[in-house]
């Protein structure tokens, strides 16, 4: 596939800008846009229900656009995917398991770990908001609470103090006073540090196997034979005998408790 030229980029940008202008104009003038086989109406009416539906749609689209960043920075996904990737590298199986399996398993483990937090957000924030018992600002405040609690529990105080110091903000008197702008990056580097600590412990037994195999091959004068080729079956056998996936998943899930 050949790269796009500057003219093609400008053309696509103009088309996107035109479409965005049509959508904004339609929202402001409450007009109906017709497409082949369907008709879409954006805005319209002075009823509160219509306005509320439009706001909810805008909120959903915003959340969907930020979903990757939310998944990476506000959940347990970072620690899980890093540890599982380090396990694959420690064993030395190259691309086995494939990236799709590593990421898929990380997603389901993330859902399992975060389910109590998300259920609390749904109960305390989303359900009252949909039932018009609280406002949007109150729902957002209540939704941030459980997520903040989860992040504070997994974040080191040293990392929080680092970003508070860098931002030159006032020292928080209690955990709830920590701003999300400092808590999110502190949580991210705490998760990375924990993941690398777990990865180091996982690497040790496989490293010992590599050293033993290399020493045996060197003593036998078989210097042209790659040690990795000989050590890989032994590492796989060790991993299967100790039920490695069970131990790793158990350790990952319990590390968040």
């Amino acid at each position: 596939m050949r790269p796009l030229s500057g003219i093609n980029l400008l053309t696509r940008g103009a088309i996107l800008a035109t479409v965005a202008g049509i959508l904004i104009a339609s929202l402001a003038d409450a007009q109906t846009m017709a497409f082949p086989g369907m008709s879409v109406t954006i805005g319209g009416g002075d009823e509160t229900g219509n306005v509320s539906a439009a706001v909810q749609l805008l909120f959903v689209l915003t959340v969907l656009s930020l979903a990757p960043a939310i998944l990476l920075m506000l959940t347990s996904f970072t620690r899980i995917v890093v540890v599982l990737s380090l396990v694959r590298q420690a064993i030395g199986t190259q691309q086995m398991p494939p990236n799709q399996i590593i990421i898929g398993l990380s997603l389901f483990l993330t859902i399992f770990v975060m389910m109590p937090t998300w259920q609390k957000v749904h109960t305390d924030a989303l359900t009252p908001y949909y039932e018009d018992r609280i406002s949007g600002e109150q729902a957002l405040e209540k939704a941030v609470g459980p997520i903040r609690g989860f992040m504070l529990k997994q974040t080191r105080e040293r990392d929080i103090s680092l970003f508070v110091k860098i931002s030159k903000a006032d020292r928080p008197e209690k955990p709830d006073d920590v701003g999300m702008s400092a808590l999110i990056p502190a949580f991210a580097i705490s998760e990375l540090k924990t993941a690398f600590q777990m990865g180091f412990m996982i690497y040790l037994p496989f490293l010992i196997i590599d050293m033993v195999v290399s020493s045996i091959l060197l003593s036998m004068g078989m210097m042209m034979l790659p040690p990795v080729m000989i050590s890989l079956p032994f590492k796989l056998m060790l991993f299967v005998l100790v039920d490695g996936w069970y131990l790793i998943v158990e350790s990952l899930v319990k590390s968040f408790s």
Side-chain angles (χ1 to χ4, degrees), residues 73-111:
M73 304 304 294
L74 305 182
T75 67
S76 58
F77 180 81
T78 300
R79 182 189 305 184
I80 295 173
V81 74
V82 170
V83 170
L84 294 181
S85 299
L86 289 176
V87 170
R88 182 177 63 184
Q89 294 181 11
I91 298 175
T93 53
Q94 302 299 327
Q95 295 298 321
M96 294 300 295
N99 289 330
Q100 293 85 346
I101 295 179
I102 294 292
I103 295 176
L105 180 58
S106 301
L107 285 173
F108 280 103
L109 289 177
T110 300
I111 294 173

Side-chain angles (χ1 to χ4, degrees), residues 104-172:
L105 180 58
S106 301
L107 285 173
F108 280 103
L109 289 177
T110 300
I111 294 173
F112 180 81
V113 171
M114 298 297 299
M115 187 58 67
T117 302
W118 290 341
Q119 286 178 345
K120 192 171 183 181
V121 171
H122 183 271
T123 303
D124 298 344
L126 293 180
T127 300
Y129 175 71
Y130 288 145
E131 295 176 355
D132 295 330
R133 290 190 279 122
I134 59 176
S135 63
E137 295 180 356
Q138 292 175 333
L140 181 60
E141 183 178 355
K142 289 181 177 295
V144 170
I147 299 176
R148 178 196 295 272
F150 172 81
M151 296 172 65
L152 284 172
K153 190 176 180 180
Q154 307 299 328
T155 307
R156 295 175 176 82
E157 184 178 351
R158 176 184 177 90
D159 297 330
I160 296 177
S161 62
L162 170 65
F163 288 97
V164 171
K165 181 180 179 180
I166 293 175
S167 62
K168 298 181 180 180
D170 297 334
R171 182 176 181 179

Side-chain angles (χ1 to χ4, degrees), residues 147-223:
I147 299 176
R148 178 196 295 272
F150 172 81
M151 296 172 65
L152 284 172
K153 190 176 180 180
Q154 307 299 328
T155 307
R156 295 175 176 82
E157 184 178 351
R158 176 184 177 90
D159 297 330
I160 296 177
S161 62
L162 170 65
F163 288 97
V164 171
K165 181 180 179 180
I166 293 175
S167 62
K168 298 181 180 180
D170 297 334
R171 182 176 181 179
E173 298 180 357
K174 54 184 180 179
D176 292 339
D177 295 336
V178 179
M180 294 297 289
S181 59
L183 180 58
I184 292 176
F187 171 75
I189 64 174
S190 294
E191 289 292 281
L192 288 174
K193 182 176 182 179
T194 303
F196 275 79
Q197 288 175 342
M198 298 180 68
F200 173 75
M201 299 303 297
I202 293 171
Y203 253 94
L204 283 180
F206 301 113
L207 178 62
I208 293 175
I209 293 178
D210 286 333
M211 293 175 63
V212 171
V213 171
S214 299
S215 300
I216 294 175
L217 292 178
L218 184 62
S219 64
M220 295 175 62
M222 304 175 65
M223 292 178 294

